[in-house]
Amino acid sequence: MPSRYLLRRLAQVLPTVAGLLVLNFCIVHLAPGDPVIALGGEHGDAAYYAFLRARFALDRPLPEQLLTYVTNVLRGDLGTSFVHGRSVAGVIAERLPATILLVATALVLSSLAGLGLGTLAARHGRRPADLALNAAALLGYATPSFWLGQMALLTVAVGTGLFPVQGMTDARHPQTGLAHVLDVAHHLALPALVLAVNELALTTRLVRTGLLEALGADYVRTARAKGLPEGRVIRHALRNVMLPVLTVIGSRAGMFLSGAVLVEVVFAWPGLGRLLLSSLLARDYPVLLGMFLLISFAVVLANLITDLAYARLDPRIRYQ
Amino acid sequence: MSRGRLMARTVFVLMAVWSLGTAPARAQDAPVRGGTVVAAIVSDPGHLNPAITTSGATHAASELLYNGLLGRDERGEPVPELAESWQIEQGGTVYRFRLRDGVRWHDGTPFTAADVKFTFEEVLVKYHARTRASMGAVLAGIEAPDDRTVVFRFKQPYAPLLYQLDATEAPIVARHVYQGTDPQTNPANGNPIGTGPFKLVSYTKGTEIRLVRNPTYFKAGLPHLDGLVMRIIPDLAVQVLALENGEVDFLWELPGPQQARLKGDPRFRAARTGYHPGGSNCIMTMSFNLDRPILKDLRVRQAVAHALDRQAFLTQILFGDGKVAAAPISSEIPWAHAAGLALPRPDRAEAEKLLDGAGWKKEGEGPRTARGVPGVADGTRLSIEFLHFPTFTKYGELVRQQLGAVGIGVVLKPLEPAVFAPTVFKDRNFDSNVISYCNGPDPEIGVRRMYHSSQIGPAPFTNAAAYRNARVDALFDEASRTVERDKRTRLYRQIQELVVQELPYFWLVETVSTRAWAARCAGFKAWTGHFAEEAFCRR
């Protein structure tokens, strides 16, 4: 792949993110709501709220606030959280690992299982197994994740006692080393599965539809006529199916950073989704803007990576 | 304490703790030393400095690290804490406190009167919203003549002081940690040094706060527990599941619907209290915007009050967890609560009569029509807006249903708190609303702001009705300067009689919190932020 293309795409990332930065700033500040009320509690007097407003420079004209913010971001400073009283970068960084672990696990699970189930469904095209998988996929896609999470808690966690209800670790017996890894995996299982179910349904449907189409194509007939084993034939066909599937998975990767909020709340998972929600309710502008910036970056980067992956998967695609 | 009073107090405590199980609550064994309690909290506190905020999240998570000059007993009365005794001088203008000897900060530094002076002057009256708003303007100065004496001087007699010195209202922080720094961004807010029964081990953001026993705590033999973990679980229903699953031992809040579910389960205990670290003794209150022509008429407000069946709010929304408000001041402040007032009773016929008399006539189906109402064009349909937090949707639905029955149309406007407050208090753009007005430990803190004419906007959760009554203003001012309890009781009673006649608000239900815990544990104090100071668990 020519590096000129890569450079050009990377050069597009910066203006895109910069535009989003300004847009985010305007949306956050123009939305109704007042951070000093969330921060000051309900018993303050007018002087106290004025004091807080001045302290966080919220009494300055909006263009001036925007200029200050952009200048600071260019210097790599995302500001100080109103609520936490610490640097925004630090507040976000603390929560990032938990979300990446949850989202990546769910994404890998749903992609692998979706590929398998979609293939299975396509090979049984329009027979009972396919119809059953199809119905299950639609049900999974239509089920809200918070409801599924609560059901999983009631039936699996409390019902069988095999899984913990909340958190990322055991509060009573903090572990270290390998035991800690196992403890986290134990806590991760249910939320990752619940999060994966939605994605799984989508991937399954995409793989199935694409594969059904591909299996009717000429090159598949040729491959079969040559006497290739069915597994090899499917692999040929899958390679063509992967493009739309990858597009969808890629677009999800960025969204996932914000989209895990419901599952994080239900399972008390200490990730970014909960931080986003609480910052929104408290109108913690610096943290909100920091997270929007992160999400913007993630979406733009995921798109870039998807585009680059196209070229690897499909030799017909050439980038100039 | 006399024997009779001791007995009375024992009975009170036994009644306050009720068993969720059918088995009678067994008398607890003697306290056991050791063990760790896991308590669930709803939100990540962000930081652990209770002196710079009134945030319930921070206070629930951090009060056990600190102490106030005084604590509070189960009836909210002051008891010695960092101060072992106190004197009120010059008719309530001077308060003199004698501090306990030998108290040390978690890092070993001795605690002295200079810490108290510094905390009030440099931290509390600047950053703690309630302390600043109540005490800030009348505090003349604080002196620390020696290491164990603190003297507060006020510009005029100041009545509520003893009720605002606990760790919720005025936690004392260390001068050697905060002096010369910005208290809002000092790193010690995440790594606190207090005098409290527990010390911080670790604070994992979004997950938990781990505390360990303070071995040199000034109350001998306390705490019983080796450790305490505050687990952050944002969903209350999930907290209950975690309690059932044995992952958590203590809940700050057991919601009404879940109480029914756990009833009959001998594994759990529960207790009700009006105390909440974010705001105590709260009454769900309907405010009428007295600037609006429709609601200016007392008869319309009376009609609304008669049309509402407040018992339905208690049973349908709170599942019985609370009580119908019997007076404008919470019954959780017994000395200020006026018993036996005649609040409007549910009476649909009376409501209809009042509306007819006010010029709102029934013409066919639906809301009534204006016929000669001052300030309202004839033919206008009777309809009022009702603003509420999204969490209070059920209140809106009941109000709409019950007022609809007498021909008052209600338009619900759910607004999240950050938008609700400026809409109501700054823009005053509403007809009516529902607010959880928390009275706090003393009426001076949470009640005055609802009625005094100086408290009309723009600060949030002040006088939403825009109620103006010179007599009521004068009574509040006198009550704040009156130290004698009996006299204050009489003044607050006069105030309550006046506002019940004029109905700038209608007081719906008093809400309470229900704490719940595993039956193998005991000694929790539901009425204070120091809930685990005396707790212990059988193994």
Side-chain angles (χ1 to χ4, degrees), chain A residues 48 55 94 165-166 172 283, chain B residues 127 182 184 205 246-247:
Chain A
Y48 181 60
R55 189 185 160 91
E94 286 157 0
V165 167
Q166 48 77 36
R172 280 186 213 287
R283 296 291 191 275
Chain B
Y127 300 99
D182 176 354
Q184 283 187 310
K205 309 296 181 309
E247 294 170 37

Side-chain angles (χ1 to χ4, degrees), chain A residues 94-114:
Chain A
E94 286 157 0
R95 301 293 198 93
L96 196 56
T99 286
I100 289 182
L101 179 64
L102 175 64
V103 168
T105 310
L107 205 57
V108 169
L109 275 180
S110 64
S111 303
L112 292 181

Side-chain angles (χ1 to χ4, degrees), chain B residues 255-451:
Chain B
Q258 267 83 7
Q259 286 178 30
R261 214 160 75 77
L262 292 194
K263 210 145 215 153
D265 196 329
R267 294 177 297 162
F268 309 111
R269 296 278 182 278
R272 285 186 179 150
T273 175
Y275 168 82
H276 192 277
S280 288
N281 308 333
C282 308
I283 303 180
M284 294 299 300
T285 306
M286 182 168 176
S287 332
F288 304 108
N289 186 346
L290 301 179
D291 296 337
R292 294 277 159 107
I294 296 176
L295 294 161
K296 233 179 198 145
D297 190 331
L298 174 62
R299 288 169 295 183
V300 174
R301 303 198 296 275
Q302 286 171 330
V304 168
H306 281 298
L308 293 176
D309 174 11
R310 299 179 298 155
Q311 185 62 42
F313 287 77
L314 180 62
T315 41
Q316 292 177 31
I317 301 174
L318 299 177
F319 293 85
D321 210 8
K323 49 181 112 163
V324 170
I329 295 180
S330 167
S331 63
E332 299 283 333
I333 314 177
W335 59 268
H337 170 81
L341 290 181
L343 262 65
R345 309 183 68 82
D347 185 344
R348 217 176 270 180
E350 181 65 24
E352 308 236 11
K353 209 168 82 191
L354 284 160
L355 289 172
D356 281 334
W360 293 101
K361 305 294 183 194
K362 194 126 201 155
E363 294 177 1
E365 287 301 296
R368 289 163 179 267
T369 311
R371 293 291 170 221
V373 180
V376 179
D378 266 11
T380 307
R381 292 288 191 130
L382 176 51
S383 172
I384 56 173
E385 292 169 326
F386 185 83
L387 275 57
H388 60 86
F389 291 177
T391 40
F392 297 152
T393 298
K394 286 179 179 169
Y395 288 87
E397 285 166 358
L398 262 187
V399 164
R400 183 167 59 184
Q401 179 196 331
Q402 295 185 348
L403 296 191
V406 297
I408 304 174
V410 175
V411 180
L412 300 184
K413 278 179 80 176
L415 294 175
E416 57 161 318
V419 184
F420 180 97
T423 307
V424 169
F425 296 95
K426 205 163 106 220
D427 308 337
R428 299 203 53 75
N429 184 14
F430 72 102
D431 293 326
S432 71
N433 65 47
V434 69
I435 291 171
S436 171
Y437 270 113
C438 296
N439 287 182
D442 187 289
E444 179 63 18
I445 293 165
V447 180
R448 173 195 181 86
R449 66 196 169 114
M450 292 173 66
Y451 302 97

Side-chain angles (χ1 to χ4, degrees), chain A residues 21 64-77:
Chain A
L21 182 74
E64 186 186 324
Q65 288 186 49
L66 174 62
L67 191 69
T68 315
Y69 184 70
V70 171
T71 318
N72 286 342
V73 169
L74 286 179
R75 283 204 226 103
D77 176 11

Side-chain angles (χ1 to χ4, degrees), chain A residues 151-236:
Chain A
M151 289 305 113
L153 283 184
L154 276 173
T155 55
V156 185
V158 177
T160 69
L162 292 178
F163 290 96
V165 167
Q166 48 77 36
M168 194 169 158
T169 50
D170 187 332
R172 280 186 213 287
H173 309 288
Q175 309 283 353
T176 50
L178 181 65
H180 173 70
V181 174
L182 292 176
D183 188 30
V184 170
H186 189 204
H187 284 78
L188 175 65
L190 275 189
L193 273 176
V194 166
L195 193 57
V197 163
N198 263 235
E199 300 302 310
L200 170 69
L202 198 63
T203 320
T204 308
R205 297 270 302 155
L206 271 175
V207 170
R208 175 191 169 273
T209 317
L211 204 54
L212 272 179
E213 200 179 308
L215 287 177
D218 287 346
Y219 71 90
V220 168
R221 198 175 315 130
T222 311
R224 281 188 176 138
K226 278 200 311 192
L228 277 186
E230 188 63 12
R232 291 282 301 277
V233 175
I234 298 273
R235 263 174 55 199
H236 273 305

